[in-house]
């Protein structure tokens, strides 16, 4: 009897945390300094998970320099899964240089797109909903 509300509440807390974390980082990155970066590698990895059909995962790596130190990253924006979308793949296909926004306190943390992802809003909102549903389920069951 306690398992359903506990699952809903803990699942909601996890979703709320992940969505909130990436929303916060997206908002903070709007104030981060910008440097020019160079795309050093891009391509597609073919993965097979179990007996299912193979999945293709696009990747992009770029390097950038802050205070004489060179860093490498593959993060396009802040979201739970860092796989580039088809639109991002097309947008960066022929690009050599990109604007890189880096955290001045931790320059190894950087993105090339600062806008919050829709999926982060969905995760945050769903987290609130799951928590509310778990509390309601518990309250009305007893």
């Amino acid at each position: 009897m306690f398992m359903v509300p506990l699952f809903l509440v803990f699942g909601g807390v996890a979703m709320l945390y992940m969505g909130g974390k990436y929303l916060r980082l997206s908002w903070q990155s709007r104030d981060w300094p910008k440097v020019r970066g160079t795309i050093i590698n891009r391509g597609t990895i073919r993965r097979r998970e179990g007996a299912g059909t193979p999945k293709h995962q696009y990747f992009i790596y770029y390097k950038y320099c802050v205070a004489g130190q060179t860093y490498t990253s593959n993060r396009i924006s802040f979201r739970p899964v860092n796989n580039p979308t088809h639109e991002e793949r097309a947008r960066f296909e022929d690009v050599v240089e990109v604007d890189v926004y880096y955290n001045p306190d931790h320059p190894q943390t950087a993105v090339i797109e600062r806008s919050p992802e829709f999926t982060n809003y969905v995760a945050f909102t769903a987290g609130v909903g799951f928590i509310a549903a778990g509390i309601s389920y518990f309250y009305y069951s007893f």
Side-chain angles (χ1 to χ4, degrees), residues 13-30:
V13 167
M15 293 173 75
L16 189 68
Y17 172 77
M18 290 302 291
K21 173 185 172 183
Y22 290 119
L23 282 172
R24 180 181 52 81
L25 287 168
S26 295
W27 292 328
Q28 287 176 348
S29 69
R30 292 179 178 178

Side-chain angles (χ1 to χ4, degrees), residues 91-116:
R91 191 168 54 249
F92 295 114
E93 193 64 37
D94 297 323
V95 175
V96 176
E97 288 191 341
V98 290
D99 288 332
V100 178
Y101 302 91
Y102 67 92
N103 183 337
D105 298 326
H106 304 282
Q108 68 275 12
T109 303
V111 291
I112 53 181
E113 291 188 354
R114 302 177 291 173
S115 59

Side-chain angles (χ1 to χ4, degrees), residues 20 51 122 124 133:
V122 170
F124 187 83

Side-chain angles (χ1 to χ4, degrees), residues 59-106:
F59 65 89
I60 180 173
Y61 284 90
Y62 56 91
K63 68 178 179 178
Y64 58 100
C65 190
V66 176
Q69 176 74 35
T70 301
Y71 298 94
T72 303
S73 180
N74 68 337
R75 183 168 295 283
I76 292 178
S77 64
F78 289 112
R79 57 182 171 231
V81 178
N82 196 33
N83 297 340
T85 64
H86 292 293
E87 293 82 18
E88 290 168 340
R89 180 179 180 174
R91 191 168 54 249
F92 295 114
E93 193 64 37
D94 297 323
V95 175
V96 176
E97 288 191 341
V98 290
D99 288 332
V100 178
Y101 302 91
Y102 67 92
N103 183 337
D105 298 326
H106 304 282

